Amino acid sequence: MHELGIAFHIADSVVKIAEENGAKKVHKVSLEVGEVSTIIPDYLIDVWNWNCKRVPLLNGCELEVETIHAITFCDNCKQTYDTVPQGKICPHCGSDRTWLQTGNEVNIKDITIE
Amino acid sequence: MDPYRVIEVKQSIFEDNNQDAERLRQQMKEEKTFLINLMSSPGSGKTTMLTQLIPRLKDELKIGIMEADIDSDVDAETISHQGVKVIQLHTGGMCHLDADMTRQGVMELGTKELDLVILENVGNLVCPAEFDTGAAMNMMILSVPEGHDKPLKYPLVFTVCDTLIINKIDVLPYFDFDMDKVTEFARRRNPDIRIFPICAKTGEGMDELAAYLKERAQNLK
């Protein structure tokens, strides 16, 4: 259960930020999750909701997941392409010297507190 | 006044862990202790490989082993017969160790006098790769029965590891495992990856691996 560890890490960071800002309660956490970050949003939301019941500051806190599109950059022909259908090999020139530009993120974007 | 406030955070959820990992790496460097994070699937032979590695290194390096598992102490029990310092860490249901858990393990083990510490991570090719433990080196085992396509299926772990051990080469004749293909697939993820084919059961290939790890550990001094 890979999402469980991720949910604990998000919860720890959110509680820290909320306490620093004198929050009584956290209502919503917005997350940016890359398309190829290996996180399944549905699973993450499930374990998040379970974990929120154990943390008073996060009781009933909604987790909103925004997907970030995965784009790969080709070092050989200097063009970019969509990662998901294509993978590691550049569709323009066939090179495998390609690097993921976006799509691997797991960021806390913002939190809504009271 | 609106009782709700939105706080812009824009922070990777791995950031706290990465900072913990960097601190631990620095601490281990100052103590001149070489920390290896060993990852693999369950049953690939991490513990068996260690029982071959330890006798080859323990006269020259003071070794400590941290066994991480969700539960049980069977691995720590096996390693304890090797005459090195060993502790068992329980992750309590979590599928990986993070840098803070590793730091607690390091404190519990007491690493000041040690030259080499090997962290045997939870058997899993997904989550351990995502969390930097603070180790100076990431090493993984892929065993022949698992198949040569694993670098394609679990790219991240092959990207973060600089050393790949191919274990159970004694059963190569019985499996469709292609050594050239696994090399090609692994290098796609990490062009500089070092590959050591071994058999932890018979000890084949272990001398080369032991010599390499000894050199890496001593280079830290």
PDB file of all heavy atoms in Angstrom, chain B residues 12-42:
ATOM      1  N   SER B  12       7.007  20.035  -2.620  1.00  0.00           N
ATOM      2  CA  SER B  12       6.947  18.601  -2.904  1.00  0.00           C
ATOM      3  C   SER B  12       6.729  17.854  -1.601  1.00  0.00           C
ATOM      4  O   SER B  12       7.293  18.216  -0.572  1.00  0.00           O
ATOM      5  CB  SER B  12       8.244  18.141  -3.552  1.00  0.00           C
ATOM      6  OG  SER B  12       8.311  16.734  -3.505  1.00  0.00           O
ATOM      7  N   ILE B  13       5.923  16.807  -1.641  1.00  0.00           N
ATOM      8  CA  ILE B  13       5.690  16.066  -0.408  1.00  0.00           C
ATOM      9  C   ILE B  13       6.944  15.296   0.008  1.00  0.00           C
ATOM     10  O   ILE B  13       7.034  14.802   1.114  1.00  0.00           O
ATOM     11  CB  ILE B  13       4.481  15.102  -0.506  1.00  0.00           C
ATOM     12  CG1 ILE B  13       4.760  13.984  -1.498  1.00  0.00           C
ATOM     13  CG2 ILE B  13       3.208  15.832  -0.843  1.00  0.00           C
ATOM     14  CD1 ILE B  13       4.220  12.676  -0.995  1.00  0.00           C
ATOM     15  N   PHE B  14       7.910  15.179  -0.896  1.00  0.00           N
ATOM     16  CA  PHE B  14       9.143  14.479  -0.546  1.00  0.00           C
ATOM     17  C   PHE B  14      10.190  15.427   0.035  1.00  0.00           C
ATOM     18  O   PHE B  14      11.265  15.009   0.416  1.00  0.00           O
ATOM     19  CB  PHE B  14       9.721  13.769  -1.777  1.00  0.00           C
ATOM     20  CG  PHE B  14       8.790  12.735  -2.332  1.00  0.00           C
ATOM     21  CD1 PHE B  14       8.202  12.896  -3.576  1.00  0.00           C
ATOM     22  CD2 PHE B  14       8.477  11.599  -1.597  1.00  0.00           C
ATOM     23  CE1 PHE B  14       7.338  11.937  -4.080  1.00  0.00           C
ATOM     24  CE2 PHE B  14       7.607  10.644  -2.096  1.00  0.00           C
ATOM     25  CZ  PHE B  14       7.035  10.810  -3.343  1.00  0.00           C
ATOM     26  N   GLU B  15       9.834  16.739   0.072  1.00  0.00           N
ATOM     27  CA  GLU B  15      10.843  17.714   0.466  1.00  0.00           C
ATOM     28  C   GLU B  15      11.356  17.510   1.900  1.00  0.00           C
ATOM     29  O   GLU B  15      12.563  17.525   2.139  1.00  0.00           O
ATOM     30  CB  GLU B  15      10.284  19.121   0.310  1.00  0.00           C
ATOM     31  CG  GLU B  15      11.370  20.166   0.362  1.00  0.00           C
ATOM     32  CD  GLU B  15      10.871  21.488  -0.204  1.00  0.00           C
ATOM     33  OE1 GLU B  15      10.633  21.525  -1.413  1.00  0.00           O
ATOM     34  OE2 GLU B  15      10.704  22.426   0.582  1.00  0.00           O
ATOM     35  N   ASP B  16      10.440  17.303   2.852  1.00  0.00           N
ATOM     36  CA  ASP B  16      10.852  17.068   4.235  1.00  0.00           C
ATOM     37  C   ASP B  16      11.767  15.858   4.323  1.00  0.00           C
ATOM     38  O   ASP B  16      12.789  15.875   4.994  1.00  0.00           O
ATOM     39  CB  ASP B  16       9.622  16.808   5.131  1.00  0.00           C
ATOM     40  CG  ASP B  16       8.960  18.106   5.540  1.00  0.00           C
ATOM     41  OD1 ASP B  16       9.464  19.165   5.109  1.00  0.00           O
ATOM     42  OD2 ASP B  16       7.960  18.041   6.272  1.00  0.00           O
ATOM     43  N   ASN B  17      11.356  14.801   3.610  1.00  0.00           N
ATOM     44  CA  ASN B  17      12.153  13.578   3.631  1.00  0.00           C
ATOM     45  C   ASN B  17      13.530  13.810   3.006  1.00  0.00           C
ATOM     46  O   ASN B  17      14.536  13.329   3.519  1.00  0.00           O
ATOM     47  CB  ASN B  17      11.417  12.455   2.899  1.00  0.00           C
ATOM     48  CG  ASN B  17      12.129  11.135   3.053  1.00  0.00           C
ATOM     49  OD1 ASN B  17      12.264  10.626   4.163  1.00  0.00           O
ATOM     50  ND2 ASN B  17      12.643  10.605   1.971  1.00  0.00           N
ATOM     51  N   ASN B  18      13.557  14.573   1.906  1.00  0.00           N
ATOM     52  CA  ASN B  18      14.838  14.838   1.252  1.00  0.00           C
ATOM     53  C   ASN B  18      15.783  15.617   2.167  1.00  0.00           C
ATOM     54  O   ASN B  18      16.987  15.377   2.175  1.00  0.00           O
ATOM     55  CB  ASN B  18      14.623  15.601  -0.058  1.00  0.00           C
ATOM     56  CG  ASN B  18      13.961  14.723  -1.112  1.00  0.00           C
ATOM     57  OD1 ASN B  18      13.899  13.504  -0.955  1.00  0.00           O
ATOM     58  ND2 ASN B  18      13.443  15.332  -2.167  1.00  0.00           N
ATOM     59  N   GLN B  19      15.216  16.538   2.960  1.00  0.00           N
ATOM     60  CA  GLN B  19      16.052  17.291   3.901  1.00  0.00           C
ATOM     61  C   GLN B  19      16.581  16.380   5.001  1.00  0.00           C
ATOM     62  O   GLN B  19      17.762  16.436   5.352  1.00  0.00           O
ATOM     63  CB  GLN B  19      15.249  18.440   4.516  1.00  0.00           C
ATOM     64  CG  GLN B  19      15.035  19.581   3.532  1.00  0.00           C
ATOM     65  CD  GLN B  19      14.063  20.618   4.060  1.00  0.00           C
ATOM     66  OE1 GLN B  19      13.606  20.545   5.203  1.00  0.00           O
ATOM     67  NE2 GLN B  19      13.731  21.590   3.229  1.00  0.00           N
ATOM     68  N   ASP B  20      15.707  15.510   5.535  1.00  0.00           N
ATOM     69  CA  ASP B  20      16.142  14.538   6.556  1.00  0.00           C
ATOM     70  C   ASP B  20      17.250  13.659   5.992  1.00  0.00           C
ATOM     71  O   ASP B  20      18.239  13.364   6.668  1.00  0.00           O
ATOM     72  CB  ASP B  20      14.971  13.621   6.968  1.00  0.00           C
ATOM     73  CG  ASP B  20      13.932  14.346   7.818  1.00  0.00           C
ATOM     74  OD1 ASP B  20      14.235  15.457   8.294  1.00  0.00           O
ATOM     75  OD2 ASP B  20      12.823  13.798   7.992  1.00  0.00           O
ATOM     76  N   ALA B  21      17.070  13.227   4.735  1.00  0.00           N
ATOM     77  CA  ALA B  21      18.035  12.324   4.098  1.00  0.00           C
ATOM     78  C   ALA B  21      19.392  13.009   3.945  1.00  0.00           C
ATOM     79  O   ALA B  21      20.434  12.408   4.211  1.00  0.00           O
ATOM     80  CB  ALA B  21      17.507  11.881   2.739  1.00  0.00           C
ATOM     81  N   GLU B  22      19.370  14.270   3.546  1.00  0.00           N
ATOM     82  CA  GLU B  22      20.615  15.020   3.352  1.00  0.00           C
ATOM     83  C   GLU B  22      21.365  15.175   4.679  1.00  0.00           C
ATOM     84  O   GLU B  22      22.583  15.018   4.738  1.00  0.00           O
ATOM     85  CB  GLU B  22      20.277  16.400   2.760  1.00  0.00           C
ATOM     86  CG  GLU B  22      21.144  16.853   1.620  1.00  0.00           C
ATOM     87  CD  GLU B  22      21.722  15.747   0.752  1.00  0.00           C
ATOM     88  OE1 GLU B  22      21.002  15.169  -0.084  1.00  0.00           O
ATOM     89  OE2 GLU B  22      22.926  15.464   0.914  1.00  0.00           O
ATOM     90  N   ARG B  23      20.607  15.453   5.747  1.00  0.00           N
ATOM     91  CA  ARG B  23      21.216  15.576   7.086  1.00  0.00           C
ATOM     92  C   ARG B  23      21.865  14.266   7.515  1.00  0.00           C
ATOM     93  O   ARG B  23      22.975  14.258   8.027  1.00  0.00           O
ATOM     94  CB  ARG B  23      20.154  15.977   8.120  1.00  0.00           C
ATOM     95  CG  ARG B  23      20.062  17.487   8.355  1.00  0.00           C
ATOM     96  CD  ARG B  23      19.296  17.791   9.630  1.00  0.00           C
ATOM     97  NE  ARG B  23      17.931  17.302   9.572  1.00  0.00           N
ATOM     98  CZ  ARG B  23      16.918  18.002   9.054  1.00  0.00           C
ATOM     99  NH1 ARG B  23      17.127  19.205   8.571  1.00  0.00           N
ATOM    100  NH2 ARG B  23      15.696  17.498   9.030  1.00  0.00           N
ATOM    101  N   LEU B  24      21.160  13.168   7.288  1.00  0.00           N
ATOM    102  CA  LEU B  24      21.691  11.858   7.687  1.00  0.00           C
ATOM    103  C   LEU B  24      22.940  11.520   6.872  1.00  0.00           C
ATOM    104  O   LEU B  24      23.933  11.028   7.403  1.00  0.00           O
ATOM    105  CB  LEU B  24      20.613  10.774   7.509  1.00  0.00           C
ATOM    106  CG  LEU B  24      21.036   9.357   7.906  1.00  0.00           C
ATOM    107  CD1 LEU B  24      21.420   9.276   9.378  1.00  0.00           C
ATOM    108  CD2 LEU B  24      19.927   8.350   7.614  1.00  0.00           C
ATOM    109  N   ARG B  25      22.902  11.829   5.563  1.00  0.00           N
ATOM    110  CA  ARG B  25      24.056  11.552   4.691  1.00  0.00           C
ATOM    111  C   ARG B  25      25.291  12.303   5.192  1.00  0.00           C
ATOM    112  O   ARG B  25      26.384  11.767   5.241  1.00  0.00           O
ATOM    113  CB  ARG B  25      23.734  11.958   3.250  1.00  0.00           C
ATOM    114  CG  ARG B  25      24.238  10.951   2.252  1.00  0.00           C
ATOM    115  CD  ARG B  25      23.931  11.229   0.801  1.00  0.00           C
ATOM    116  NE  ARG B  25      22.760  12.000   0.522  1.00  0.00           N
ATOM    117  CZ  ARG B  25      21.553  11.498   0.258  1.00  0.00           C
ATOM    118  NH1 ARG B  25      21.379  10.196   0.228  1.00  0.00           N
ATOM    119  NH2 ARG B  25      20.528  12.268   0.016  1.00  0.00           N
ATOM    120  N   GLN B  26      25.073  13.559   5.591  1.00  0.00           N
ATOM    121  CA  GLN B  26      26.150  14.394   6.103  1.00  0.00           C
ATOM    122  C   GLN B  26      26.719  13.799   7.399  1.00  0.00           C
ATOM    123  O   GLN B  26      27.925  13.688   7.570  1.00  0.00           O
ATOM    124  CB  GLN B  26      25.601  15.817   6.342  1.00  0.00           C
ATOM    125  CG  GLN B  26      26.670  16.885   6.444  1.00  0.00           C
ATOM    126  CD  GLN B  26      27.638  16.856   5.267  1.00  0.00           C
ATOM    127  OE1 GLN B  26      27.249  16.692   4.116  1.00  0.00           O
ATOM    128  NE2 GLN B  26      28.937  16.982   5.563  1.00  0.00           N
ATOM    129  N   GLN B  27      25.797  13.397   8.296  1.00  0.00           N
ATOM    130  CA  GLN B  27      26.205  12.821   9.581  1.00  0.00           C
ATOM    131  C   GLN B  27      27.042  11.548   9.376  1.00  0.00           C
ATOM    132  O   GLN B  27      28.091  11.372  10.004  1.00  0.00           O
ATOM    133  CB  GLN B  27      24.956  12.497  10.402  1.00  0.00           C
ATOM    134  CG  GLN B  27      25.241  11.906  11.773  1.00  0.00           C
ATOM    135  CD  GLN B  27      24.002  11.219  12.353  1.00  0.00           C
ATOM    136  OE1 GLN B  27      22.880  11.640  12.104  1.00  0.00           O
ATOM    137  NE2 GLN B  27      24.207  10.159  13.119  1.00  0.00           N
ATOM    138  N   MET B  28      26.597  10.686   8.471  1.00  0.00           N
ATOM    139  CA  MET B  28      27.305   9.426   8.227  1.00  0.00           C
ATOM    140  C   MET B  28      28.674   9.694   7.598  1.00  0.00           C
ATOM    141  O   MET B  28      29.632   8.984   7.863  1.00  0.00           O
ATOM    142  CB  MET B  28      26.484   8.509   7.303  1.00  0.00           C
ATOM    143  CG  MET B  28      25.135   8.104   7.832  1.00  0.00           C
ATOM    144  SD  MET B  28      25.222   7.228   9.400  1.00  0.00           S
ATOM    145  CE  MET B  28      25.499   5.567   8.831  1.00  0.00           C
ATOM    146  N   LYS B  29      28.738  10.740   6.787  1.00  0.00           N
ATOM    147  CA  LYS B  29      30.005  11.105   6.148  1.00  0.00           C
ATOM    148  C   LYS B  29      31.008  11.550   7.212  1.00  0.00           C
ATOM    149  O   LYS B  29      32.178  11.170   7.186  1.00  0.00           O
ATOM    150  CB  LYS B  29      29.731  12.236   5.148  1.00  0.00           C
ATOM    151  CG  LYS B  29      30.768  12.346   4.069  1.00  0.00           C
ATOM    152  CD  LYS B  29      30.372  13.378   3.051  1.00  0.00           C
ATOM    153  CE  LYS B  29      31.572  13.769   2.217  1.00  0.00           C
ATOM    154  NZ  LYS B  29      31.276  14.872   1.305  1.00  0.00           N
ATOM    155  N   GLU B  30      30.510  12.345   8.167  1.00  0.00           N
ATOM    156  CA  GLU B  30      31.385  12.811   9.249  1.00  0.00           C
ATOM    157  C   GLU B  30      31.860  11.650  10.111  1.00  0.00           C
ATOM    158  O   GLU B  30      32.990  11.632  10.583  1.00  0.00           O
ATOM    159  CB  GLU B  30      30.652  13.860  10.103  1.00  0.00           C
ATOM    160  CG  GLU B  30      30.636  15.219   9.436  1.00  0.00           C
ATOM    161  CD  GLU B  30      29.545  16.138   9.973  1.00  0.00           C
ATOM    162  OE1 GLU B  30      29.012  15.846  11.063  1.00  0.00           O
ATOM    163  OE2 GLU B  30      29.221  17.123   9.281  1.00  0.00           O
ATOM    164  N   GLU B  31      30.978  10.671  10.308  1.00  0.00           N
ATOM    165  CA  GLU B  31      31.349   9.491  11.107  1.00  0.00           C
ATOM    166  C   GLU B  31      32.192   8.511  10.303  1.00  0.00           C
ATOM    167  O   GLU B  31      32.642   7.505  10.828  1.00  0.00           O
ATOM    168  CB  GLU B  31      30.084   8.748  11.569  1.00  0.00           C
ATOM    169  CG  GLU B  31      29.299   9.461  12.638  1.00  0.00           C
ATOM    170  CD  GLU B  31      28.047   8.672  13.038  1.00  0.00           C
ATOM    171  OE1 GLU B  31      27.915   7.488  12.644  1.00  0.00           O
ATOM    172  OE2 GLU B  31      27.199   9.250  13.721  1.00  0.00           O
ATOM    173  N   LYS B  32      32.353   8.786   8.999  1.00  0.00           N
ATOM    174  CA  LYS B  32      33.073   7.894   8.075  1.00  0.00           C
ATOM    175  C   LYS B  32      32.457   6.486   8.053  1.00  0.00           C
ATOM    176  O   LYS B  32      33.146   5.473   8.074  1.00  0.00           O
ATOM    177  CB  LYS B  32      34.561   7.838   8.418  1.00  0.00           C
ATOM    178  CG  LYS B  32      35.243   9.197   8.306  1.00  0.00           C
ATOM    179  CD  LYS B  32      36.732   9.033   8.285  1.00  0.00           C
ATOM    180  CE  LYS B  32      37.490  10.335   8.452  1.00  0.00           C
ATOM    181  NZ  LYS B  32      36.928  11.471   7.728  1.00  0.00           N
ATOM    182  N   THR B  33      31.149   6.462   8.056  1.00  0.00           N
ATOM    183  CA  THR B  33      30.422   5.195   7.947  1.00  0.00           C
ATOM    184  C   THR B  33      29.707   5.172   6.598  1.00  0.00           C
ATOM    185  O   THR B  33      28.995   6.113   6.271  1.00  0.00           O
ATOM    186  CB  THR B  33      29.381   5.078   9.077  1.00  0.00           C
ATOM    187  OG1 THR B  33      30.041   5.236  10.330  1.00  0.00           O
ATOM    188  CG2 THR B  33      28.691   3.722   9.037  1.00  0.00           C
ATOM    189  N   PHE B  34      29.954   4.118   5.841  1.00  0.00           N
ATOM    190  CA  PHE B  34      29.359   3.998   4.508  1.00  0.00           C
ATOM    191  C   PHE B  34      28.016   3.282   4.629  1.00  0.00           C
ATOM    192  O   PHE B  34      27.959   2.131   5.050  1.00  0.00           O
ATOM    193  CB  PHE B  34      30.318   3.211   3.599  1.00  0.00           C
ATOM    194  CG  PHE B  34      29.944   3.244   2.147  1.00  0.00           C
ATOM    195  CD1 PHE B  34      29.864   4.447   1.458  1.00  0.00           C
ATOM    196  CD2 PHE B  34      29.697   2.073   1.452  1.00  0.00           C
ATOM    197  CE1 PHE B  34      29.535   4.487   0.101  1.00  0.00           C
ATOM    198  CE2 PHE B  34      29.370   2.093   0.102  1.00  0.00           C
ATOM    199  CZ  PHE B  34      29.289   3.311  -0.570  1.00  0.00           C
ATOM    200  N   LEU B  35      26.945   3.999   4.286  1.00  0.00           N
ATOM    201  CA  LEU B  35      25.596   3.430   4.424  1.00  0.00           C
ATOM    202  C   LEU B  35      25.058   3.029   3.049  1.00  0.00           C
ATOM    203  O   LEU B  35      24.979   3.851   2.142  1.00  0.00           O
ATOM    204  CB  LEU B  35      24.664   4.449   5.088  1.00  0.00           C
ATOM    205  CG  LEU B  35      23.180   4.063   5.222  1.00  0.00           C
ATOM    206  CD1 LEU B  35      22.992   2.830   6.084  1.00  0.00           C
ATOM    207  CD2 LEU B  35      22.362   5.227   5.804  1.00  0.00           C
ATOM    208  N   ILE B  36      24.713   1.749   2.928  1.00  0.00           N
ATOM    209  CA  ILE B  36      24.144   1.232   1.683  1.00  0.00           C
ATOM    210  C   ILE B  36      22.673   0.905   1.906  1.00  0.00           C
ATOM    211  O   ILE B  36      22.320   0.247   2.883  1.00  0.00           O
ATOM    212  CB  ILE B  36      24.869  -0.053   1.215  1.00  0.00           C
ATOM    213  CG1 ILE B  36      26.353   0.216   0.970  1.00  0.00           C
ATOM    214  CG2 ILE B  36      24.216  -0.617  -0.053  1.00  0.00           C
ATOM    215  CD1 ILE B  36      27.144  -1.023   0.566  1.00  0.00           C
ATOM    216  N   ASN B  37      21.831   1.368   1.007  1.00  0.00           N
ATOM    217  CA  ASN B  37      20.417   1.019   1.019  1.00  0.00           C
ATOM    218  C   ASN B  37      20.207  -0.100   0.009  1.00  0.00           C
ATOM    219  O   ASN B  37      20.397   0.091  -1.188  1.00  0.00           O
ATOM    220  CB  ASN B  37      19.599   2.270   0.650  1.00  0.00           C
ATOM    221  CG  ASN B  37      18.125   1.992   0.499  1.00  0.00           C
ATOM    222  OD1 ASN B  37      17.585   1.064   1.088  1.00  0.00           O
ATOM    223  ND2 ASN B  37      17.464   2.812  -0.307  1.00  0.00           N
ATOM    224  N   LEU B  38      19.836  -1.266   0.509  1.00  0.00           N
ATOM    225  CA  LEU B  38      19.683  -2.444  -0.349  1.00  0.00           C
ATOM    226  C   LEU B  38      18.196  -2.703  -0.594  1.00  0.00           C
ATOM    227  O   LEU B  38      17.427  -2.905   0.337  1.00  0.00           O
ATOM    228  CB  LEU B  38      20.340  -3.657   0.328  1.00  0.00           C
ATOM    229  CG  LEU B  38      20.178  -5.018  -0.357  1.00  0.00           C
ATOM    230  CD1 LEU B  38      20.796  -5.009  -1.756  1.00  0.00           C
ATOM    231  CD2 LEU B  38      20.814  -6.118   0.490  1.00  0.00           C
ATOM    232  N   MET B  39      17.814  -2.699  -1.876  1.00  0.00           N
ATOM    233  CA  MET B  39      16.399  -2.866  -2.224  1.00  0.00           C
ATOM    234  C   MET B  39      16.226  -4.050  -3.174  1.00  0.00           C
ATOM    235  O   MET B  39      17.130  -4.379  -3.937  1.00  0.00           O
ATOM    236  CB  MET B  39      15.882  -1.602  -2.918  1.00  0.00           C
ATOM    237  CG  MET B  39      15.857  -0.395  -1.997  1.00  0.00           C
ATOM    238  SD  MET B  39      15.324   1.119  -2.833  1.00  0.00           S
ATOM    239  CE  MET B  39      16.847   1.629  -3.612  1.00  0.00           C
ATOM    240  N   SER B  40      15.040  -4.638  -3.132  1.00  0.00           N
ATOM    241  CA  SER B  40      14.690  -5.719  -4.070  1.00  0.00           C
ATOM    242  C   SER B  40      13.264  -6.162  -3.805  1.00  0.00           C
ATOM    243  O   SER B  40      12.635  -5.711  -2.858  1.00  0.00           O
ATOM    244  CB  SER B  40      15.619  -6.916  -3.911  1.00  0.00           C
ATOM    245  OG  SER B  40      15.174  -7.741  -2.860  1.00  0.00           O
ATOM    246  N   SER B  41      12.765  -7.098  -4.616  1.00  0.00           N
ATOM    247  CA  SER B  41      11.467  -7.718  -4.334  1.00  0.00           C
ATOM    248  C   SER B  41      11.628  -8.701  -3.179  1.00  0.00           C
ATOM    249  O   SER B  41      12.746  -9.126  -2.896  1.00  0.00           O
ATOM    250  CB  SER B  41      10.951  -8.535  -5.506  1.00  0.00           C
ATOM    251  OG  SER B  41      11.276  -7.988  -6.707  1.00  0.00           O
ATOM    252  N   PRO B  42      10.508  -9.119  -2.590  1.00  0.00           N
ATOM    253  CA  PRO B  42      10.604 -10.184  -1.576  1.00  0.00           C
ATOM    254  C   PRO B  42      11.107 -11.470  -2.240  1.00  0.00           C
ATOM    255  O   PRO B  42      10.693 -11.800  -3.355  1.00  0.00           O
ATOM    256  CB  PRO B  42       9.149 -10.379  -1.105  1.00  0.00           C
ATOM    257  CG  PRO B  42       8.394  -9.192  -1.590  1.00  0.00           C
ATOM    258  CD  PRO B  42       9.107  -8.697  -2.806  1.00  0.00           C
TER     259      PRO B  42
END
